[in-house]
């Protein structure tokens, strides 16, 4: 495994600490409450960050009545959010042509703290809180994201929860709709003694987009804020998430899809998960110019996924067993696999921000240090029957995997923004040191152990130039970094390092952002991501025997743009009426293999794929919404979403394969409509949302077989504030 010496970089970090020396005087007045680690902050913060960024505000979420995070993120240029089961429980988020599978190229945060259960050792998203918990979403894709880690190849998505209110208030909502959709949502908050509290509860269920899914989640969230004296603030968060879904992992073969696009033959499969998370953030306003934020966090995630097939090439997965033999005995004598996972994740972080002046130059600096500890307990238990949940004794049964995986990581960063008049330059550096360990316990008398270490220096620089009071030009470059998973860098049989280097890239962007005139804002960015080593499956279809490998050099280039306009903000409409438009367009013109690269798709030999387009990288993404606000009575919105065609393997196959795992996915066009009613004389609000109004038939994924897109869905809801 490649290692980089950190001595000189550590000296740089020490120098940064001395530059950020803390003044001894303190504020006399009460400090402003700081609830989160700031990623972008108020929307006006987009005028000053040195790189591309976007926000999805609460108004955007309510006008569209989004049900899943996928719907929300499609409003952001550069993001491809792929559906899977219909509620966004396991979102697949890609940026700028990067693979969306399990959102592994993205860093997910909640209030600035890691949300994923293993961002270093297994950055796959098998859990996501309901979108109703959040007041806004922030997205960073440029050099400024090196303040966060470890994944900086794609971008950062930060979900922001609302602050605890100063006065007692709340809202309850009920919704129901097609495909068995039901939702109850409660927000309640206010002062409790010297504290402020916010409680959120959500229960959602749906039949999903396929037969025999029966999705059901329950989510509880509590935030407590308290000010201690004039300069100290504490924020405590506690959450509990539970899912119980009758859902399979496998997609469909081509024949199955043509016979019934929404079928699911694996009726006994099931997914159960529970997650507890907690964090404590202490904010100390040391002076007007110096703020220290220290946080501790912990999460426990337990997941059991029992399934009779992991992809469409397994019909079922133990068909070789004489007592199974195939689909004819699927519901009687065929066994199943239990992929049982448990994660413990600990984090301790401190961040110090400092403002100063050096003559006419204004300096804003931030440095941080973080320790992360991740522990994974992974079992594969094969049972003898479709409904079995214990190790069996038949040919393919028993305990097939028994792994412990450990990650301990130290990271630090230092950034400084130097402003002189309209020009601001923001250099920064991030350091990552990661120790990985794997223990194979299949043979308890002779466990196999292995270790590896990854170290990386991640520099970046951003530049902004103010062209007007609310309009800037920006440019930047940074090194992208994504660490390899424990299972991909340490051999399970020998414990030896596989020498699968971390993903690294050189990322550049240039853009313009701001208000063209009052009521009209725009953001346009050219981007380039030049990978030295992108990690992809040898068979992107994910069939039997697929492993991760170094794809070598790849190149992503394109343009992303957004435009917003409001007639009311332009002064053209009055009385609370408004005609508005928002749009997000992405063109990933280049997403291709470079250098020498050969495909390993089974049955096709070793074919060169240099110059081929990367899988799951649609060239075009379009999101366009037009809405009208009827004063205080309500509003309506029509949204158009287009996802361009995409290849699903490195051979760029067009014809569908029999197992459904390869073949071109055609472009998809979806229309969504929303009507919100909230007259002043009504004691409640109401809405109706129609998703995929034309009932377009689409395919969203082929990696494990064909997954269909959601059919037309109608949802009706009422909300009651109090």
């Amino acid at each position: 495994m490649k290692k980089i010496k950190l001595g000189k970089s550590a000296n740089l970090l020490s120098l940064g600490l001395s530059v950020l020396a803390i003044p001894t005087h303190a504020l006399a007045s009460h400090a402003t409450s700081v609830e989160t680690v700031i990623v972008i902050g108020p929307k006006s913060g987009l005028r000053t960050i040195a790189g591309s960024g976007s926000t999805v505000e609460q108004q955007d979420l309510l006008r569209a009545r989004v049900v899943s995070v996928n719907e929300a993120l499609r409003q952001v240029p550069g993001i491809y959010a792929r559906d899977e089961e219909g509620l966004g429980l396991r979102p697949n988020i890609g940026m700028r042509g990067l693979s969306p599978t399990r959102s592994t190229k993205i860093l997910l945060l909640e209030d600035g703290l890691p949300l994923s259960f293993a961002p270093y050792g297994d950055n796959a998203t098998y859990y996501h809180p309901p979108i109703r918990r959040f007041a806004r979403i922030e997205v960073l894709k440029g050099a400024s994201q090196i303040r966060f880690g470890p994944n900086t190849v794609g971008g950062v998505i930060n979900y922001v929860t609302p602050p605890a209110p100063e006065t007692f208030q709340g809202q309850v909502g009920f919704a129901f709709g097609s495909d068995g959709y039901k939702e109850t949502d409660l927000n309640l908050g206010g002062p409790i003694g010297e504290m402020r509290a916010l409680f959120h509860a959500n229960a959602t269920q749906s039949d999903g987009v396929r037969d025999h899914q029966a999705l059901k989640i329950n989510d509880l969230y509590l935030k407590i804020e308290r000010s201690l004296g004039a300069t100290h603030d504490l924020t405590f968060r506690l959450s509990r998430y539970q899912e119980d879904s009758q859902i399979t992992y496998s997609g469909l073969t081509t024949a199955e899809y043509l016979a019934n696009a929404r079928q699911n033959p694996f009726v006994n499969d099931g997914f159960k998960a529970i997650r507890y998370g907690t964090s404590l953030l202490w904010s100390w306003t040391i002076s007007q110019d110096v703020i220290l934020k220290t946080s501790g966090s912990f999460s426990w995630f337990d997941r059991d996924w029992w399934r009779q097939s992991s992809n469409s090439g397994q019909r079922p997965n133990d068909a070789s067993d004489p007592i199974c033999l195939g689909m004819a005995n699927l519901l009687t004598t065929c066994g199943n696999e239990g992929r049982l996972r448990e994660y413990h994740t600990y984090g301790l972080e401190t961040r110090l921000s400092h403002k100063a002046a050096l003559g006419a130059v204004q300096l804003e600096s931030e440095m941080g240090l973080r320790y992360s500890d991740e522990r994974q307990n992974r079992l594969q238990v094969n049972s003898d029957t479709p409904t079995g949940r214990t190790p069996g004794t038949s040919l393919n049964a028993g305990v097939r995997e028994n792994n412990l995986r450990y990650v301990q990581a130290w990271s630090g960063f230092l950034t400084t923004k130097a402003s002189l008049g309209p020009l601001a330059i923001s250099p920064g550096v991030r350091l990552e040191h990661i120790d990985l360990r794997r223990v194979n316990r299949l043979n308890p008398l002779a466990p196999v152990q292995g270790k590896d270490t990854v170290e990386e220096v991640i520099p970046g620089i951003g530049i902004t130039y103010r062209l007007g009071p609310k309009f800037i030009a920006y440019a930047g470059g940074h090194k992208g970094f994504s660490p390899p998973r424990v299972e991909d860098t340490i051999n399970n049989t020998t414990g030896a390092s596989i020498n699968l280097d971390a993903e690294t890239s050189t990322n550049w962007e240039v853009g313009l952002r701001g208000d063209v005139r009052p009521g009209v804002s725009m953001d346009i960015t050219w981007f380039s991501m030049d990978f030295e080593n992108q990690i992809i499956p040898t068979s992107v279809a994910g069939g039997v025997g697929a492993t991760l490998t170094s794809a070598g050099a790849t190149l992503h280039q394109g343009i992303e743009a957004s435009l917003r306009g409001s007639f009311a903000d332009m002064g053209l409409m009055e009385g609370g009426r408004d005609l508005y438009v928002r749009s997000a367009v992405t063109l990933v013109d280049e997403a291709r293999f470079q250098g020498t690269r050969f495909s390993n798709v089974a049955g096709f030999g070793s074919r060169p794929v240099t110059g081929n387009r990367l899988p799951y990288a649609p060239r075009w993404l379009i999101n366009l919404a037009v809405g009208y606000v009827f004063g205080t009575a309500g509003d309506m919105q029509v949204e158009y979403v287009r996802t361009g065609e995409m290849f699903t393997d490195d051979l760029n196959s067009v014809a569908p394969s029999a197992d459904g795992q390869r073949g071109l996915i055609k472009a998809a066009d979806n229309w969504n409509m929303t009507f919100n009613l909230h007259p002043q004389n009504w004691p409640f609000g109401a809405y109706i949302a129609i998703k995929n109004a034309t009932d377009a038939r689409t395919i969203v994924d082929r990696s494990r077989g064909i997954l269909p897109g959601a059919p037309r869905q109608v949802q009706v809801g009422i909300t009651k504030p109090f």
Side-chain angles (χ1 to χ4, degrees), residues 438-501:
R438 181 175 189 173
V439 182
N440 181 351
R441 301 179 298 176
L442 269 180
N443 182 356
L445 298 179
V448 178
Q449 301 190 41
K451 297 181 180 180
D452 207 347
T453 297
V454 177
E455 294 178 342
E456 202 75 43
V457 179
I458 306 164
I461 187 170
I463 301 172
T464 63
Y465 190 85
R466 191 171 66 251
L467 300 173
K470 297 182 179 181
F471 200 83
I472 65 168
Y474 58 88
H478 77 281
K479 182 177 184 176
F481 167 74
S482 182
R485 298 181 302 174
V486 177
E487 65 190 273
D488 300 323
T489 190
I490 301 173
N491 185 278
N492 191 46
T493 304
T494 66
S497 171
I498 302 173
N499 293 316
L500 184 65
D501 288 342

Side-chain angles (χ1 to χ4, degrees), residues 154-167:
V156 176
I157 297 175
N158 182 42
Y159 302 105
V160 182
T161 60
E166 297 281 353
T167 59

Side-chain angles (χ1 to χ4, degrees), residues 274-334:
I274 187 167
R275 179 189 187 271
Y276 287 93
T278 186
S279 67
L280 180 65
L281 174 67
W282 166 44
S283 177
W284 179 17
T285 305
I286 299 169
S287 75
Q288 263 185 324
D289 300 320
V290 181
I291 297 177
L292 178 69
K293 299 176 187 176
T294 301
S295 64
S297 60
F298 166 75
S299 69
W300 174 72
F301 178 78
D302 187 82
R303 184 211 92 183
D304 292 351
W305 199 336
W306 292 89
R307 58 209 194 208
Q308 289 189 275
S309 173
S310 293
N311 63 73
S312 57
Q314 301 173 330
R315 284 299 185 264
N317 52 28
D318 68 339
S320 62
D321 193 327
I323 65 173
C324 173
L325 293 179
M327 295 293 285
N329 300 317
L330 180 70
L331 305 182
T332 55
T333 57
C334 292

Side-chain angles (χ1 to χ4, degrees), residues 225-467:
E225 302 171 358
R226 180 169 182 182
S227 299
L228 301 175
T231 59
H232 298 273
D233 292 280
L234 295 177
T235 301
F236 171 75
R237 300 186 307 153
L238 178 66
S239 63
R240 181 187 186 274
Y241 172 93
Q242 185 174 15
E243 178 184 351
D244 187 353
S245 299
Q246 181 191 356
I247 190 169
T248 189
Y249 194 80
S250 175
L252 300 172
T253 67
T254 297
E256 290 170 340
Y257 177 77
L258 293 175
N260 178 0
R262 310 209 177 277
Q263 68 170 292
N264 170 24
F266 303 102
V267 301
N268 292 302
D269 287 6
F271 179 100
K272 290 187 177 183
I274 187 167
R275 179 189 187 271
Y276 287 93
T278 186
S279 67
L280 180 65
L281 174 67
W282 166 44
S283 177
W284 179 17
T285 305
I286 299 169
S287 75
Q288 263 185 324
D289 300 320
V290 181
I291 297 177
L292 178 69
K293 299 176 187 176
T294 301
S295 64
S297 60
F298 166 75
S299 69
W300 174 72
F301 178 78
D302 187 82
R303 184 211 92 183
D304 292 351
W305 199 336
W306 292 89
R307 58 209 194 208
Q308 289 189 275
S309 173
S310 293
N311 63 73
S312 57
Q314 301 173 330
R315 284 299 185 264
N317 52 28
D318 68 339
S320 62
D321 193 327
I323 65 173
C324 173
L325 293 179
M327 295 293 285
N329 300 317
L330 180 70
L331 305 182
T332 55
T333 57
C334 292
N336 62 9
E337 294 180 357
R339 304 294 180 96
L340 317 180
R341 308 284 187 260
E342 183 183 17
Y343 297 84
H344 297 79
T345 304
Y346 307 82
L348 182 63
E349 180 180 68
T350 187
R351 290 171 177 260
L352 184 69
S353 60
H354 179 221
K355 295 180 181 179
L358 186 61
V361 179
Q362 300 297 314
L363 298 174
E364 298 178 40
S365 301
E366 185 180 16
M367 64 84 58
L369 184 65
R370 179 176 180 83
Y371 170 73
S372 298
D373 189 301
E374 301 173 4
R375 304 174 187 183
Q376 306 176 31
N377 185 8
R378 301 168 65 97
L379 295 171
Q380 180 178 327
V381 175
N382 292 4
S383 187
D384 287 335
T385 65
T387 58
R389 297 296 185 260
T390 56
T393 59
S394 58
L395 178 65
N396 298 316
V399 178
R400 295 306 177 103
E401 178 189 10
N402 188 347
N403 254 222
L404 288 177
R405 302 176 188 178
Y406 302 92
V407 178
Q408 291 181 316
W410 287 92
S411 61
F413 74 91
L414 172 64
T415 62
T416 298
K417 179 181 178 181
S419 303
L420 179 62
L423 178 66
I425 301 175
S426 304
V429 63
R430 183 176 189 86
L431 315 176
E432 292 280 1
H433 175 96
I434 310 167
D435 292 317
L436 309 99
R437 184 162 68 96
R438 181 175 189 173
V439 182
N440 181 351
R441 301 179 298 176
L442 269 180
N443 182 356
L445 298 179
V448 178
Q449 301 190 41
K451 297 181 180 180
D452 207 347
T453 297
V454 177
E455 294 178 342
E456 202 75 43
V457 179
I458 306 164
I461 187 170
I463 301 172
T464 63
Y465 190 85
R466 191 171 66 251
L467 300 173

Side-chain angles (χ1 to χ4, degrees), residues 531-568:
F531 277 85
E532 298 175 15
N533 174 47
Q534 186 173 169
I535 308 300
I536 67 167
T538 55
S539 169
V540 180
V544 178
T547 59
L548 293 186
T549 185
S550 299
T554 62
L555 179 67
H556 302 243
Q557 287 185 347
I559 295 174
E560 57 191 30
S562 64
L563 178 68
R564 288 175 173 262
S566 163
F567 276 46

Side-chain angles (χ1 to χ4, degrees), residues 83-84 209-210 252 257 261-263 698-701 706-710:
D83 282 321
E84 183 169 327
V209 301
R210 295 172 62 187
L252 300 172
Y257 177 77
R262 310 209 177 277
Q263 68 170 292
T698 61
I699 293 174
V700 296
D701 184 27
I706 299 173
L707 293 185

